[in-house]
Amino acid sequence: MRPEPPNGSAGVPEIFGGGIYGAIRRAVVIGNGFPGAENQCLGLVRALGLSGRHSLYRVLRPRGGINEWLHWLPVSVHKKLDHFIRQIFGGSGLKVEGKKGMPLLGKKNGLLHVLEADAKQIAKVARETFDQYGPLLVIASGRDTISIASSIKRFAPENVFVVQIQHPRSRLDRFDLVIAPRHDYYSLNPQARQQIPWLVRRWITPCEPPGKNVVLTVGALHQADFAALRSAASAWHEELASLPKPLLVVNIGGPSSNCRYGVDLAKQLATMLQNVLWSCGSVRISFSRRTPKKVSKLLMEEFNTHPKVYIWDGEGPNPHLGHLAWADAFVITADSETRLRDWSGSMHVEVCRLPKVPG
């Protein structure tokens, strides 16, 4: 069993300590379809004890064809342009999986699961069910969710509490609470002058220190709390507990604007891993869905037959939480913004040593 969290760490946040918001018993998550953003919302839902009492909405962009070149546009503009192109050239236009859903009244919390977020409908349900179910907590993350979340607050200001995760870049007063990783708050980031041109800096983020409605975190929110790790330690005990120690887990991500993945960098990583294999009892390598095929192929060819190394091929249950619970050390590629502070253009890796999980 993993150790218990420090006393008081599981308490109710101060923002929910009084007034109408002390009665929050339900939540909706506004996602963008990307696990990296939605998992942060779900991590907050879990920490607040609202798991099982939330609904997931998604902001959907048009897909396919020329739409892949228009992803930089605000989603509302993108949809209008897609509709215009469809009217002129024909075609299927907006391509999404499933069907559009509309918010409906539910027996427990007043909302049922829907696929596509509609600010007016969500706000309407929040108003109509307020007397019965209390205020609605709205948690959103990702650029495409900003306008939806702020619109919900505008349509139902007395019936919702809106939390925007990740820095919305401007007009933070549109939200009741903004949760931003410290590296996203450029006014406090020493790399800001290098990352943002001086002429546009004031339009991207406020220059003053964060206000009362801004919470800065060291890293991104997540779902890997003590209860989740205890459960994962049990679920993966049979597969991971008996592996020779120390167990090194290697998490390989994918390309970003600051981290280009190529064969040369994959070879560099392979060489670095070869140099530490002697000190490992066993190694487990996992690829992201974003990992380029040329990178995963090279590493699989390099290590697939090595007796110490196991490579997860994406089939079956994702071992990520099991790895977090049982690994002695990690190697993580630096495509995440949180690990780019000393990025120098090469495949930088970080090793983080964690206490072992007793059986």
Side-chain angles (χ1 to χ4, degrees):
M1 299 292 290
R2 290 188 63 85
E4 292 295 326
N7 291 335
S9 65
V12 177
E14 183 179 350
I15 59 169
F16 301 112
I20 64 168
Y21 299 122
I24 286 180
R25 301 188 302 273
R26 57 181 181 154
V28 298
V29 169
I30 310 295
N32 58 4
F34 293 95
E38 292 184 359
N39 282 336
Q40 295 188 58
C41 298
L42 296 175
L44 180 57
V45 166
R46 181 183 178 93
L48 293 173
L50 295 173
S51 296
R53 288 183 286 166
H54 71 279
S55 300
L56 175 62
Y57 294 69
R58 285 199 172 105
V59 178
L60 301 176
R61 277 187 177 271
R63 304 293 183 191
I66 195 174
N67 289 303
E68 301 308 313
W69 297 88
L70 302 176
H71 62 86
W72 53 272
L73 290 172
V75 66
S76 58
V77 176
H78 189 171
K79 286 184 176 182
K80 290 178 181 178
L81 185 57
D82 172 74
H83 177 73
F84 176 74
I85 293 174
R86 255 192 304 129
Q87 294 298 314
I88 296 178
F89 299 102
S92 57
L94 179 64
K95 297 180 180 179
V96 299
E97 294 182 359
K99 298 180 178 179
K100 287 187 178 181
M102 299 298 287
L104 299 172
L105 294 180
K107 293 182 179 180
K108 280 190 174 182
N109 56 15
L111 292 169
L112 292 178
H113 172 78
V114 298
L115 185 59
E116 185 166 10
D118 184 310
K120 290 184 177 180
Q121 289 294 331
I122 295 174
K124 179 181 178 182
V125 171
R127 292 193 304 268
E128 292 179 348
T129 61
F130 179 82
D131 290 340
Q132 184 175 2
Y133 299 110
L136 175 66
L137 176 63
V138 178
I139 305 174
S141 180
R143 179 170 62 94
D144 287 347
T145 69
I146 292 173
S147 62
I148 293 290
S150 61
S151 295
I152 293 172
K153 182 63 179 179
R154 187 172 73 253
F155 295 142
E158 303 299 326
N159 310 107
V160 298
F161 189 95
V162 178
V163 178
Q164 186 70 37
I165 300 175
Q166 297 182 327
H167 202 298
R169 297 293 179 246
S170 64
R171 296 180 56 201
L172 306 189
D173 57 349
R174 292 176 291 172
F175 311 97
D176 294 295
L177 185 67
V178 172
I179 301 177
R182 184 171 292 272
H183 62 262
D184 269 358
Y185 204 94
Y186 286 118
S187 61
L188 301 181
N189 186 336
Q191 282 76 43
R193 296 184 181 276
Q194 300 176 6
Q195 296 175 347
I196 304 175
W198 177 81
L199 290 175
V200 299
R201 197 175 303 157
R202 62 172 296 188
W203 303 105
I204 294 178
T205 188
C207 297
E208 69 274 4
K212 293 183 178 179
N213 70 325
V214 178
V215 174
L216 300 181
T217 60
V218 176
L221 302 185
H222 54 80
Q223 299 187 66
D225 58 17
F226 283 85
L229 291 179
R230 283 198 301 268
S231 176
S234 175
W236 290 90
H237 182 278
E238 183 176 351
E239 183 169 343
L240 301 180
S242 60
L243 292 178
K245 304 294 183 180
L247 169 59
L248 174 68
V249 167
V250 181
N251 290 332
I252 301 174
S256 68
S257 59
N258 295 294
C259 182
R260 302 298 182 184
Y261 275 59
V263 173
D264 289 343
L265 293 183
K267 290 179 178 178
Q268 181 185 355
L269 176 58
T271 299
M272 295 170 68
L273 291 177
Q274 289 284 11
N275 290 337
V276 300
L277 273 177
W278 65 270
S279 65
C280 303
S282 50
V283 177
R284 289 176 67 95
I285 299 176
S286 293
F287 300 109
S288 165
R289 289 179 294 180
R290 301 180 297 110
T291 306
K293 292 294 184 182
K294 58 186 176 182
V295 173
S296 57
K297 180 181 179 181
L298 187 150
L299 292 171
M300 290 183 70
E301 291 175 350
E302 184 77 19
F303 296 106
N304 212 22
T305 59
H306 197 289
K308 285 187 177 182
V309 179
Y310 169 84
I311 300 177
W312 182 56
D313 60 4
E315 298 295 327
N318 190 325
H320 179 62
L321 282 177
H323 288 167
L324 290 179
W326 285 103
D328 297 291
F330 293 89
V331 172
I332 305 170
T333 54
D335 44 278
S336 171
E337 190 72 29
T338 57
R339 295 182 288 272
L340 285 173
R341 292 169 186 160
D342 58 347
W343 176 252
S344 60
S346 62
M347 180 75 80
H348 172 69
V349 295
E350 291 187 355
V351 177
C352 174
R353 298 199 173 274
L354 299 177
K356 298 171 78 171
V357 180

